[in-house]
Amino acid sequence: MSRIGKKPVELPSGVSASVSGQTIEVKGPKGTQSFTATDDVTLTVEENAISVEPRGKSKRARQQWGMSRTVVANLVHGVQNTFKKELEIQGVGYRAQLAGKVLKLNLGLSHDVDFEIPDGITITCPKPTEIIIEGHDNQQVGQVAANIRDWRRPEPYKGKGIRYKGEYIFQKEGKKK
């Protein structure tokens, strides 16, 4: 039994949901989001809660049960609040700056990296070494953060690169003399 899947998703005030077939649409003060579940689960909306139930006892149905419930919970949170990821840049001369809808990154490469900001995502740079990514879709926020981080992952000897805020990088020892 899925411990996550058993819990119904509570709908806060100002948020409404409707189900048509396998698609659920959640409306709130910040917009509308929808999700299409697989045929392995059943979505139902009661008074102020959304419940997800598996169809059958197969392994795939149990896997989709917990995952679908988590995605629905993220939709409900996303139409009311924003999701946020913070990145830190470490390294001499490494920095980021915004220029309209483009994030310019200086990462020690022979050229500057121009990262196009997708629709639905807001990026701010309070400091040249800090990037804050916000949006209403949890998956999209995480994917944008991962794409930015891929330009210069933290290396294990000096720790230079782009890392998530609070991420611990295991430091290796250099050559012995």
Side-chain angles (χ1 to χ4, degrees), residues 58-78:
S58 68
K59 183 176 181 181
R60 180 170 163 76
R62 287 181 284 134
Q63 290 171 344
Q64 294 296 319
W65 183 19
M67 192 270 310
S68 297
R69 191 261 180 210
T70 303
V71 170
V72 170
N74 285 342
L75 290 180
V76 171
H77 182 271

PDB file of all heavy atoms in Angstrom, residues 58-78:
ATOM      1  N   SER A  58      -1.627  -4.471  -9.742  1.00  0.00           N
ATOM      2  CA  SER A  58      -0.359  -4.677 -10.445  1.00  0.00           C
ATOM      3  C   SER A  58       0.709  -3.729  -9.897  1.00  0.00           C
ATOM      4  O   SER A  58       0.411  -2.716  -9.259  1.00  0.00           O
ATOM      5  CB  SER A  58      -0.538  -4.448 -11.947  1.00  0.00           C
ATOM      6  OG  SER A  58      -0.806  -3.086 -12.195  1.00  0.00           O
ATOM      7  N   LYS A  59       1.965  -4.056 -10.163  1.00  0.00           N
ATOM      8  CA  LYS A  59       3.073  -3.228  -9.688  1.00  0.00           C
ATOM      9  C   LYS A  59       3.017  -1.837 -10.325  1.00  0.00           C
ATOM     10  O   LYS A  59       3.232  -0.834  -9.652  1.00  0.00           O
ATOM     11  CB  LYS A  59       4.397  -3.907 -10.025  1.00  0.00           C
ATOM     12  CG  LYS A  59       5.595  -3.166  -9.500  1.00  0.00           C
ATOM     13  CD  LYS A  59       6.872  -3.922  -9.763  1.00  0.00           C
ATOM     14  CE  LYS A  59       8.047  -3.149  -9.189  1.00  0.00           C
ATOM     15  NZ  LYS A  59       9.312  -3.822  -9.422  1.00  0.00           N
ATOM     16  N   ARG A  60       2.706  -1.790 -11.617  1.00  0.00           N
ATOM     17  CA  ARG A  60       2.633  -0.500 -12.312  1.00  0.00           C
ATOM     18  C   ARG A  60       1.527   0.376 -11.731  1.00  0.00           C
ATOM     19  O   ARG A  60       1.702   1.585 -11.579  1.00  0.00           O
ATOM     20  CB  ARG A  60       2.407  -0.723 -13.802  1.00  0.00           C
ATOM     21  CG  ARG A  60       2.324   0.572 -14.589  1.00  0.00           C
ATOM     22  CD  ARG A  60       2.350   0.328 -16.081  1.00  0.00           C
ATOM     23  NE  ARG A  60       1.889   1.466 -16.827  1.00  0.00           N
ATOM     24  CZ  ARG A  60       2.601   2.572 -17.043  1.00  0.00           C
ATOM     25  NH1 ARG A  60       3.808   2.683 -16.553  1.00  0.00           N
ATOM     26  NH2 ARG A  60       2.097   3.572 -17.744  1.00  0.00           N
ATOM     27  N   ALA A  61       0.384  -0.214 -11.397  1.00  0.00           N
ATOM     28  CA  ALA A  61      -0.718   0.562 -10.822  1.00  0.00           C
ATOM     29  C   ALA A  61      -0.306   1.155  -9.483  1.00  0.00           C
ATOM     30  O   ALA A  61      -0.619   2.308  -9.182  1.00  0.00           O
ATOM     31  CB  ALA A  61      -1.959  -0.308 -10.661  1.00  0.00           C
ATOM     32  N   ARG A  62       0.425   0.384  -8.676  1.00  0.00           N
ATOM     33  CA  ARG A  62       0.874   0.900  -7.379  1.00  0.00           C
ATOM     34  C   ARG A  62       1.926   1.993  -7.553  1.00  0.00           C
ATOM     35  O   ARG A  62       1.962   2.957  -6.800  1.00  0.00           O
ATOM     36  CB  ARG A  62       1.408  -0.240  -6.513  1.00  0.00           C
ATOM     37  CG  ARG A  62       0.282  -1.135  -5.997  1.00  0.00           C
ATOM     38  CD  ARG A  62       0.793  -2.250  -5.134  1.00  0.00           C
ATOM     39  NE  ARG A  62       1.385  -3.267  -6.012  1.00  0.00           N
ATOM     40  CZ  ARG A  62       2.563  -3.844  -5.794  1.00  0.00           C
ATOM     41  NH1 ARG A  62       3.290  -3.537  -4.744  1.00  0.00           N
ATOM     42  NH2 ARG A  62       3.034  -4.743  -6.628  1.00  0.00           N
ATOM     43  N   GLN A  63       2.778   1.867  -8.558  1.00  0.00           N
ATOM     44  CA  GLN A  63       3.781   2.904  -8.830  1.00  0.00           C
ATOM     45  C   GLN A  63       3.108   4.204  -9.264  1.00  0.00           C
ATOM     46  O   GLN A  63       3.453   5.292  -8.788  1.00  0.00           O
ATOM     47  CB  GLN A  63       4.738   2.446  -9.925  1.00  0.00           C
ATOM     48  CG  GLN A  63       5.669   1.345  -9.521  1.00  0.00           C
ATOM     49  CD  GLN A  63       6.431   0.778 -10.709  1.00  0.00           C
ATOM     50  OE1 GLN A  63       6.066   0.992 -11.861  1.00  0.00           O
ATOM     51  NE2 GLN A  63       7.484   0.041 -10.423  1.00  0.00           N
ATOM     52  N   GLN A  64       2.154   4.099 -10.164  1.00  0.00           N
ATOM     53  CA  GLN A  64       1.470   5.278 -10.682  1.00  0.00           C
ATOM     54  C   GLN A  64       0.588   5.937  -9.619  1.00  0.00           C
ATOM     55  O   GLN A  64       0.328   7.134  -9.689  1.00  0.00           O
ATOM     56  CB  GLN A  64       0.621   4.906 -11.900  1.00  0.00           C
ATOM     57  CG  GLN A  64       1.429   4.449 -13.092  1.00  0.00           C
ATOM     58  CD  GLN A  64       2.314   5.547 -13.639  1.00  0.00           C
ATOM     59  OE1 GLN A  64       1.914   6.697 -13.734  1.00  0.00           O
ATOM     60  NE2 GLN A  64       3.534   5.199 -13.989  1.00  0.00           N
ATOM     61  N   TRP A  65       0.141   5.165  -8.659  1.00  0.00           N
ATOM     62  CA  TRP A  65      -0.721   5.669  -7.591  1.00  0.00           C
ATOM     63  C   TRP A  65      -0.037   6.782  -6.807  1.00  0.00           C
ATOM     64  O   TRP A  65      -0.531   7.902  -6.710  1.00  0.00           O
ATOM     65  CB  TRP A  65      -1.100   4.497  -6.700  1.00  0.00           C
ATOM     66  CG  TRP A  65      -2.046   4.776  -5.582  1.00  0.00           C
ATOM     67  CD1 TRP A  65      -2.896   5.823  -5.440  1.00  0.00           C
ATOM     68  CD2 TRP A  65      -2.246   3.957  -4.437  1.00  0.00           C
ATOM     69  NE1 TRP A  65      -3.616   5.710  -4.290  1.00  0.00           N
ATOM     70  CE2 TRP A  65      -3.233   4.556  -3.649  1.00  0.00           C
ATOM     71  CE3 TRP A  65      -1.688   2.759  -3.997  1.00  0.00           C
ATOM     72  CZ2 TRP A  65      -3.664   4.022  -2.435  1.00  0.00           C
ATOM     73  CZ3 TRP A  65      -2.125   2.224  -2.809  1.00  0.00           C
ATOM     74  CH2 TRP A  65      -3.104   2.854  -2.043  1.00  0.00           C
ATOM     75  N   GLY A  66       1.124   6.498  -6.242  1.00  0.00           N
ATOM     76  CA  GLY A  66       1.846   7.492  -5.443  1.00  0.00           C
ATOM     77  C   GLY A  66       2.354   8.649  -6.286  1.00  0.00           C
ATOM     78  O   GLY A  66       2.304   9.810  -5.878  1.00  0.00           O
ATOM     79  N   MET A  67       2.828   8.337  -7.496  1.00  0.00           N
ATOM     80  CA  MET A  67       3.352   9.388  -8.361  1.00  0.00           C
ATOM     81  C   MET A  67       2.251  10.346  -8.801  1.00  0.00           C
ATOM     82  O   MET A  67       2.432  11.560  -8.772  1.00  0.00           O
ATOM     83  CB  MET A  67       4.010   8.743  -9.588  1.00  0.00           C
ATOM     84  CG  MET A  67       4.841   9.693 -10.435  1.00  0.00           C
ATOM     85  SD  MET A  67       4.032  10.577 -11.780  1.00  0.00           S
ATOM     86  CE  MET A  67       3.172   9.354 -12.687  1.00  0.00           C
ATOM     87  N   SER A  68       1.092   9.795  -9.157  1.00  0.00           N
ATOM     88  CA  SER A  68      -0.019  10.645  -9.608  1.00  0.00           C
ATOM     89  C   SER A  68      -0.519  11.529  -8.479  1.00  0.00           C
ATOM     90  O   SER A  68      -0.839  12.697  -8.695  1.00  0.00           O
ATOM     91  CB  SER A  68      -1.169   9.787 -10.127  1.00  0.00           C
ATOM     92  OG  SER A  68      -0.759   9.052 -11.250  1.00  0.00           O
ATOM     93  N   ARG A  69      -0.576  10.994  -7.276  1.00  0.00           N
ATOM     94  CA  ARG A  69      -1.015  11.787  -6.122  1.00  0.00           C
ATOM     95  C   ARG A  69      -0.045  12.941  -5.867  1.00  0.00           C
ATOM     96  O   ARG A  69      -0.457  14.066  -5.581  1.00  0.00           O
ATOM     97  CB  ARG A  69      -1.116  10.894  -4.885  1.00  0.00           C
ATOM     98  CG  ARG A  69      -1.812  11.556  -3.715  1.00  0.00           C
ATOM     99  CD  ARG A  69      -0.785  12.072  -2.751  1.00  0.00           C
ATOM    100  NE  ARG A  69      -1.432  12.726  -1.613  1.00  0.00           N
ATOM    101  CZ  ARG A  69      -0.867  13.720  -0.957  1.00  0.00           C
ATOM    102  NH1 ARG A  69       0.282  14.205  -1.341  1.00  0.00           N
ATOM    103  NH2 ARG A  69      -1.461  14.260   0.062  1.00  0.00           N
ATOM    104  N   THR A  70       1.255  12.693  -6.002  1.00  0.00           N
ATOM    105  CA  THR A  70       2.256  13.737  -5.785  1.00  0.00           C
ATOM    106  C   THR A  70       2.156  14.817  -6.863  1.00  0.00           C
ATOM    107  O   THR A  70       2.269  16.014  -6.562  1.00  0.00           O
ATOM    108  CB  THR A  70       3.665  13.128  -5.769  1.00  0.00           C
ATOM    109  OG1 THR A  70       3.718  12.129  -4.751  1.00  0.00           O
ATOM    110  CG2 THR A  70       4.711  14.180  -5.478  1.00  0.00           C
ATOM    111  N   VAL A  71       1.933  14.422  -8.104  1.00  0.00           N
ATOM    112  CA  VAL A  71       1.796  15.398  -9.191  1.00  0.00           C
ATOM    113  C   VAL A  71       0.557  16.268  -8.965  1.00  0.00           C
ATOM    114  O   VAL A  71       0.603  17.492  -9.147  1.00  0.00           O
ATOM    115  CB  VAL A  71       1.747  14.697 -10.566  1.00  0.00           C
ATOM    116  CG1 VAL A  71       1.371  15.669 -11.658  1.00  0.00           C
ATOM    117  CG2 VAL A  71       3.075  14.053 -10.876  1.00  0.00           C
ATOM    118  N   VAL A  72      -0.550  15.656  -8.525  1.00  0.00           N
ATOM    119  CA  VAL A  72      -1.778  16.420  -8.250  1.00  0.00           C
ATOM    120  C   VAL A  72      -1.541  17.389  -7.088  1.00  0.00           C
ATOM    121  O   VAL A  72      -1.980  18.547  -7.132  1.00  0.00           O
ATOM    122  CB  VAL A  72      -2.961  15.474  -7.962  1.00  0.00           C
ATOM    123  CG1 VAL A  72      -4.157  16.240  -7.437  1.00  0.00           C
ATOM    124  CG2 VAL A  72      -3.338  14.718  -9.218  1.00  0.00           C
ATOM    125  N   ALA A  73      -0.822  16.946  -6.051  1.00  0.00           N
ATOM    126  CA  ALA A  73      -0.513  17.834  -4.921  1.00  0.00           C
ATOM    127  C   ALA A  73       0.346  19.006  -5.377  1.00  0.00           C
ATOM    128  O   ALA A  73       0.154  20.147  -4.919  1.00  0.00           O
ATOM    129  CB  ALA A  73       0.191  17.056  -3.815  1.00  0.00           C
ATOM    130  N   ASN A  74       1.287  18.770  -6.304  1.00  0.00           N
ATOM    131  CA  ASN A  74       2.108  19.857  -6.841  1.00  0.00           C
ATOM    132  C   ASN A  74       1.279  20.824  -7.680  1.00  0.00           C
ATOM    133  O   ASN A  74       1.536  22.028  -7.673  1.00  0.00           O
ATOM    134  CB  ASN A  74       3.260  19.297  -7.673  1.00  0.00           C
ATOM    135  CG  ASN A  74       4.357  18.705  -6.810  1.00  0.00           C
ATOM    136  OD1 ASN A  74       4.452  18.986  -5.618  1.00  0.00           O
ATOM    137  ND2 ASN A  74       5.175  17.871  -7.409  1.00  0.00           N
ATOM    138  N   LEU A  75       0.271  20.321  -8.401  1.00  0.00           N
ATOM    139  CA  LEU A  75      -0.614  21.203  -9.161  1.00  0.00           C
ATOM    140  C   LEU A  75      -1.373  22.128  -8.221  1.00  0.00           C
ATOM    141  O   LEU A  75      -1.486  23.335  -8.465  1.00  0.00           O
ATOM    142  CB  LEU A  75      -1.621  20.399  -9.979  1.00  0.00           C
ATOM    143  CG  LEU A  75      -1.134  19.595 -11.173  1.00  0.00           C
ATOM    144  CD1 LEU A  75      -2.310  18.888 -11.830  1.00  0.00           C
ATOM    145  CD2 LEU A  75      -0.418  20.453 -12.162  1.00  0.00           C
ATOM    146  N   VAL A  76      -1.913  21.560  -7.136  1.00  0.00           N
ATOM    147  CA  VAL A  76      -2.687  22.357  -6.178  1.00  0.00           C
ATOM    148  C   VAL A  76      -1.798  23.412  -5.534  1.00  0.00           C
ATOM    149  O   VAL A  76      -2.192  24.572  -5.384  1.00  0.00           O
ATOM    150  CB  VAL A  76      -3.334  21.437  -5.117  1.00  0.00           C
ATOM    151  CG1 VAL A  76      -3.946  22.250  -3.999  1.00  0.00           C
ATOM    152  CG2 VAL A  76      -4.386  20.548  -5.761  1.00  0.00           C
ATOM    153  N   HIS A  77      -0.566  23.031  -5.182  1.00  0.00           N
ATOM    154  CA  HIS A  77       0.366  24.000  -4.581  1.00  0.00           C
ATOM    155  C   HIS A  77       0.765  25.062  -5.599  1.00  0.00           C
ATOM    156  O   HIS A  77       0.893  26.241  -5.268  1.00  0.00           O
ATOM    157  CB  HIS A  77       1.610  23.272  -4.068  1.00  0.00           C
ATOM    158  CG  HIS A  77       2.590  24.161  -3.390  1.00  0.00           C
ATOM    159  ND1 HIS A  77       3.589  24.807  -4.073  1.00  0.00           N
ATOM    160  CD2 HIS A  77       2.715  24.541  -2.095  1.00  0.00           C
ATOM    161  CE1 HIS A  77       4.304  25.538  -3.224  1.00  0.00           C
ATOM    162  NE2 HIS A  77       3.791  25.394  -2.015  1.00  0.00           N
ATOM    163  N   GLY A  78       0.947  24.665  -6.867  1.00  0.00           N
ATOM    164  CA  GLY A  78       1.413  25.577  -7.904  1.00  0.00           C
ATOM    165  C   GLY A  78       0.416  26.641  -8.301  1.00  0.00           C
ATOM    166  O   GLY A  78       0.809  27.744  -8.680  1.00  0.00           O
TER     167      GLY A  78
END
